Amino acid sequence: VESAQKTTFRGSLVRTVVIGLLVVSLIPLIILGTASYLRTRQFMLDQASLQIETLSQNYSYQVAALADTRQQALTELLNQADFNQNLQTILKGTGESGYSNSLRTVNDSLISLISSQVENTFNLIAVVDSSGKVIASSQSLLIGKPLFADNS
Protein backbone atom coordinates (compact mmCIF):
# COMPACT_ATOMS: atom_id res chain seq x y z
CA VAL A 1 0.00 0.00 0.00
CA GLU A 2 2.87 2.29 0.86
CA SER A 3 4.58 1.77 -2.51
CA ALA A 4 1.31 2.47 -4.34
CA GLN A 5 0.99 5.76 -2.44
CA LYS A 6 4.64 6.60 -3.30
CA THR A 7 4.02 5.90 -7.00
CA THR A 8 0.84 7.98 -6.97
CA PHE A 9 2.61 10.76 -5.10
CA ARG A 10 5.62 10.60 -7.44
CA GLY A 11 3.30 10.59 -10.51
CA SER A 12 1.34 13.49 -9.07
CA LEU A 13 4.57 15.38 -8.31
CA VAL A 14 5.92 14.78 -11.82
CA ARG A 15 2.64 15.91 -13.35
CA THR A 16 2.59 19.06 -11.20
CA VAL A 17 6.22 19.89 -12.04
CA VAL A 18 5.66 19.35 -15.79
CA ILE A 19 2.51 21.51 -15.78
CA GLY A 20 4.33 24.16 -13.74
CA LEU A 21 7.26 24.18 -16.15
CA LEU A 22 4.91 24.43 -19.11
CA VAL A 23 3.07 27.36 -17.56
CA VAL A 24 6.32 29.09 -16.60
CA SER A 25 7.73 28.64 -20.11
CA LEU A 26 4.50 29.66 -21.92
CA ILE A 27 4.05 32.97 -20.06
CA PRO A 28 7.22 34.58 -21.53
CA LEU A 29 6.33 33.23 -24.98
CA ILE A 30 2.86 34.77 -24.79
CA ILE A 31 4.29 38.08 -23.57
CA LEU A 32 6.96 38.14 -26.30
CA GLY A 33 4.43 37.17 -28.98
CA THR A 34 2.00 39.90 -27.90
CA ALA A 35 4.76 42.53 -27.73
CA SER A 36 6.07 41.50 -31.15
CA TYR A 37 2.58 41.65 -32.65
CA LEU A 38 1.92 45.12 -31.21
CA ARG A 39 5.31 46.45 -32.39
CA THR A 40 4.84 45.02 -35.89
CA ARG A 41 1.31 46.41 -36.09
CA GLN A 42 2.48 49.91 -35.10
CA PHE A 43 5.39 49.72 -37.57
CA MET A 44 3.03 48.79 -40.41
CA LEU A 45 0.62 51.60 -39.49
CA ASP A 46 3.50 54.09 -39.46
CA GLN A 47 4.74 52.86 -42.84
CA ALA A 48 1.26 53.11 -44.38
CA SER A 49 0.83 56.61 -42.98
CA LEU A 50 4.22 57.67 -44.35
CA GLN A 51 3.42 56.27 -47.80
CA ILE A 52 0.07 58.05 -47.91
CA GLU A 53 1.72 61.32 -46.86
CA THR A 54 4.43 60.94 -49.52
CA LEU A 55 1.89 60.15 -52.25
CA SER A 56 -0.24 63.10 -51.22
CA GLN A 57 2.74 65.48 -51.31
CA ASN A 58 3.82 64.21 -54.73
CA TYR A 59 0.31 64.62 -56.07
CA SER A 60 0.02 68.16 -54.72
CA TYR A 61 3.37 69.06 -56.33
CA GLN A 62 2.15 67.66 -59.66
CA VAL A 63 -1.10 69.61 -59.45
CA ALA A 64 0.79 72.81 -58.59
CA ALA A 65 3.21 72.27 -61.49
CA LEU A 66 0.32 71.69 -63.90
CA ALA A 67 -1.42 74.84 -62.68
CA ASP A 68 1.80 76.83 -63.18
CA THR A 69 2.24 75.41 -66.68
CA ARG A 70 -1.34 76.28 -67.59
CA GLN A 71 -1.03 79.78 -66.19
CA GLN A 72 2.19 80.37 -68.10
CA ALA A 73 0.67 79.12 -71.38
CA LEU A 74 -2.42 81.33 -70.98
CA THR A 75 -0.29 84.34 -70.02
CA GLU A 76 1.80 83.88 -73.17
CA LEU A 77 -1.39 83.70 -75.23
CA LEU A 78 -2.84 86.82 -73.62
CA ASN A 79 0.43 88.72 -74.16
CA GLN A 80 0.01 88.41 -77.92
CA ALA A 81 -1.28 91.81 -79.07
CA ASP A 82 -3.41 90.49 -81.95
CA PHE A 83 -5.04 87.89 -79.68
CA ASN A 84 -6.05 90.58 -77.20
CA GLN A 85 -7.48 92.82 -79.92
CA ASN A 86 -9.45 89.95 -81.45
CA LEU A 87 -10.67 88.86 -78.03
CA GLN A 88 -11.89 92.40 -77.28
CA THR A 89 -13.73 92.44 -80.61
CA ILE A 90 -15.62 89.19 -79.96
CA LEU A 91 -16.40 90.23 -76.38
CA LYS A 92 -18.19 93.32 -77.76
CA GLY A 93 -20.64 91.06 -79.58
CA THR A 94 -21.66 89.79 -83.00
CA GLY A 95 -22.59 93.27 -84.26
CA GLU A 96 -18.99 94.45 -84.02
CA SER A 97 -17.18 94.94 -87.32
CA GLY A 98 -14.60 92.19 -87.94
CA TYR A 99 -16.36 89.86 -85.50
CA SER A 100 -16.16 86.79 -87.77
CA ASN A 101 -12.47 87.25 -88.54
CA SER A 102 -11.69 87.90 -84.88
CA LEU A 103 -13.65 84.82 -83.81
CA ARG A 104 -11.82 82.64 -86.33
CA THR A 105 -8.44 84.05 -85.23
CA VAL A 106 -9.17 83.51 -81.52
CA ASN A 107 -10.43 79.97 -82.13
CA ASP A 108 -7.36 79.20 -84.25
CA SER A 109 -5.12 80.57 -81.49
CA LEU A 110 -6.83 78.39 -78.91
CA ILE A 111 -6.54 75.29 -81.10
CA SER A 112 -2.90 76.13 -81.83
CA LEU A 113 -2.16 76.47 -78.12
CA ILE A 114 -3.65 73.06 -77.38
CA SER A 115 -1.88 71.31 -80.25
CA SER A 116 1.49 72.96 -79.51
CA GLN A 117 1.67 71.72 -75.93
CA VAL A 118 4.21 68.94 -75.36
CA GLU A 119 2.17 67.62 -72.46
CA ASN A 120 -1.60 67.54 -72.50
CA THR A 121 -1.84 70.76 -70.56
CA PHE A 122 -5.28 71.57 -71.93
CA ASN A 123 -8.01 69.43 -73.44
CA LEU A 124 -10.27 72.37 -74.07
CA ILE A 125 -10.07 76.16 -73.82
CA ALA A 126 -13.19 78.31 -74.01
CA VAL A 127 -14.00 81.99 -73.64
CA VAL A 128 -17.30 82.48 -71.83
CA ASP A 129 -19.38 85.64 -71.55
CA SER A 130 -20.97 86.84 -68.32
CA SER A 131 -24.14 84.79 -68.94
CA GLY A 132 -22.13 81.56 -69.26
CA LYS A 133 -22.44 81.26 -73.04
CA VAL A 134 -19.34 80.05 -74.90
CA ILE A 135 -18.28 82.76 -77.35
CA ALA A 136 -14.97 81.22 -78.49
CA SER A 137 -13.57 77.74 -78.03
CA SER A 138 -10.98 75.29 -79.21
CA GLN A 139 -13.98 73.03 -79.96
CA SER A 140 -16.20 74.88 -82.38
CA LEU A 141 -19.28 72.79 -81.50
CA LEU A 142 -19.44 74.53 -78.12
CA ILE A 143 -19.67 78.08 -79.51
CA GLY A 144 -23.01 79.68 -78.74
CA LYS A 145 -23.97 77.06 -76.16
CA PRO A 146 -24.10 77.51 -72.40
CA LEU A 147 -20.96 76.24 -70.67
CA PHE A 148 -22.97 74.50 -67.95
CA ALA A 149 -26.31 72.88 -68.55
CA ASP A 150 -29.11 73.89 -66.22
CA ASN A 151 -30.18 70.74 -64.35
CA SER A 152 -33.27 72.24 -62.72
Side-chain angles (χ1 to χ4, degrees):
V1 174
E2 201 174 294
S3 96
Q5 277 183 341
K6 255 186 175 179
T7 308
T8 306
F9 176 72
R10 192 178 288 162
S12 169
L13 179 62
V14 168
R15 191 176 318 122
T16 304
V17 169
V18 169
I19 290 173
L21 286 174
L22 281 173
V23 168
V24 167
S25 64
L26 285 178
I27 289 174
L29 286 174
I30 291 170
I31 291 172
L32 284 174
T34 303
S36 177
Y37 167 77
L38 292 174
R39 230 179 305 135
T40 302
R41 181 175 174 253
Q42 187 60 46
F43 176 76
M44 291 177 74
L45 287 172
D46 291 344
Q47 287 296 313
S49 174
L50 181 64
Q51 285 181 348
I52 289 171
E53 182 181 341
T54 302
L55 286 172
S56 137
Q57 284 178 349
N58 286 340
Y59 186 69
S60 69
Y61 292 143
Q62 289 173 354
V63 168
L66 180 61
D68 289 343
T69 302
R70 286 180 174 181
Q71 183 177 7
Q72 181 181 5
L74 290 174
T75 300
E76 288 173 9
L77 182 65
L78 289 173
N79 286 336
Q80 297 173 6
D82 63 328
F83 181 82
N84 266 335
Q85 290 170 347
N86 288 318
L87 186 59
Q88 291 300 322
T89 301
I90 63 172
L91 286 173
K92 290 178 184 173
T94 56
E96 191 68 21
S97 107
Y99 176 84
S100 296
N101 287 336
S102 293
L103 180 60
R104 186 173 33 258
T105 303
V106 167
N107 287 338
D108 289 346
S109 296
L110 297 177
I111 292 168
S112 174
L113 176 64
I114 289 176
S115 64
S116 70
Q117 297 296 308
V118 175
E119 301 172 7
N120 286 334
T121 306
F122 296 104
N123 294 331
L124 165 74
I125 303 175
V127 178
V128 182
D129 68 6
S130 60
S131 68
K133 185 174 88 174
V134 176
I135 56 175
S137 174
S138 58
Q139 292 183 3
S140 59
L141 294 174
L142 295 176
I143 297 173
K145 297 181 180 175
L147 185 61
F148 299 106
D150 186 15
N151 292 330
S152 52

